Each structure stands twice: as C-alpha cells, then as structure tokens.
Amino acid sequence: MAKSLAIASLQILSLLSLASSGQSRALFTNLTVYVHEFRSGEGQSIFPVAGLSNVTWGFNQFGTVFVVDNTLTQSVSVKSALVGRLQGIAAVASLDNTNIELAETFLFTDGKYNGSTLEMKGILIQSMHVNEVAIVGGTKQFRHATGYITFETVRTTEDYITVRSNLHIRQDI
C-alpha cells in the first residue's frame, strides 16, 4: 500500500513537473502610438455623459464620466498614418479632482495588428507629466496580453491634446 502510494505520488509530481517545464514562452512587444484627443469643436472625441447633479461636468469635477473615441496615429502629427482608435470610459475618481480612472481599449484598425485590441485599466494622475496604467488583456494578435502603458503628454492646447503612448506588452504563448 505504501509502495503504491509512493509510486502514485511520483507520477503526479512527474506530471506537474512536465506541465510547468516551459511548455509556454513569453513574447514581448513594444509599440509607440500617439493619441489625439479633441475636447471641443467639429472633431470632438471625448464627451461628458454623466456626473453629479447641480455641478458643471468637467475634467476637474469629481464624478464626471466621459466616453472617449480618440484617434491613434503612427507619429506625433495628427496627419500621420492612422493605426486605430482609443475607445472607452474615463471618470474623475478622486474627491480632490486630481485622478481620472481609465477603462479603455486600444483598437488597431490598420497594419500588422489590424483587428486586434489591448485592454487597459488604471488611474491617470492629471498633475503628472508621465502616467502608467496596466494592460489587462487583449484579442487576436494580443491574446493573453499583460504589461503596462506609459502616457506622456507631448502637446496640449485648451481644446487638443497629443499623448505618446508606449505599450509594453507581454504574452505567454
């Protein structure tokens, strides 16, 4: 009985060892794209859709929720090649109005990653020049994706913002 239990234990350990012996490998991809956000005018790409009553909704008002549909380009110029959209929801999440909670999707619409998505989640601290959020998933070319994204504002006016987005993607395949 003890001998058969020991053999069964060894067989289970062998199976576990085989299962974890490197059957998968990590693939790393680094991409840089530029987000173009228009806050007003004909090409407006971010809209407040909900908020607290009896206050003016805005980027500095707790509780304001925005829907976003920004363009993604290959370089800093808004006229450079379009690679996709940044779509999702953002909300002013801190009582002191300094932090915005992001739940957004990078939707690639052209090139090598056409039809693929990356999902991100995190806090954007409005006073910081560079922010970092988590990659929490993806589809097609980015299945099983994790990692992080840094956002760095490179151009800003009252109605327009350009942000460099450095995507650091890990996939266990």
Side-chain angles (χ1 to χ4, degrees):
M1 172 90 164
K3 185 176 180 182
S4 63
L5 185 58
I7 291 173
S9 295
L10 285 173
Q11 289 174 332
I12 290 171
L13 285 173
S14 295
L15 284 173
L16 290 174
S17 176
L18 283 174
S20 66
S21 67
Q23 298 295 327
S24 67
R25 64 178 170 65
L27 174 67
F28 295 93
T29 306
N30 293 310
L31 300 173
T32 298
V33 296
Y34 292 82
V35 178
H36 301 275
E37 180 173 288
F38 295 89
R39 294 187 168 186
S40 66
E42 193 174 306
Q44 186 172 348
S45 61
I46 183 167
F47 296 87
V49 295
L52 301 175
S53 59
N54 300 320
V55 297
T56 303
W57 298 348
F59 295 100
N60 294 310
Q61 177 56 56
F62 174 74
T64 304
V65 178
F66 298 89
V67 175
V68 178
D69 186 10
N70 295 329
T71 56
L72 298 175
T73 62
Q74 237 174 19
S75 72
V76 72
S77 171
V78 72
K79 294 179 182 181
S80 67
L82 183 69
V83 296
R85 310 293 295 186
L86 178 61
Q87 300 173 328
I89 298 171
V92 181
S94 60
L95 287 170
D96 65 0
N97 306 317
T98 59
N99 301 337
I100 296 180
E101 174 70 24
L102 302 174
E104 297 178 341
T105 301
F106 282 82
L107 168 63
F108 293 90
T109 58
D110 195 32
K112 179 179 179 181
Y113 304 112
N114 185 22
S116 300
T117 64
L118 281 170
E119 303 296 322
M120 69 165 189
K121 174 111 174 50
I123 291 281
L124 182 130
I125 301 168
Q126 294 190 74
S127 63
M128 292 182 65
H129 182 64
V130 177
N131 279 274
E132 185 175 305
V133 297
I135 295 172
V136 296
T139 64
K140 295 195 177 183
Q141 294 287 325
F142 297 119
R143 286 186 187 125
H144 309 291
T146 59
Y148 66 98
I149 302 167
T150 60
F151 292 111
E152 179 180 1
T153 302
V154 293
R155 182 181 304 147
T156 185
T157 68
E158 187 176 321
D159 298 327
Y160 171 72
I161 296 174
T162 303
V163 177
R164 179 183 301 113
S165 302
N166 296 305
L167 295 81
H168 304 275
I169 307 156
R170 176 193 170 117
Q171 295 168 268
D172 292 319
I173 55 174

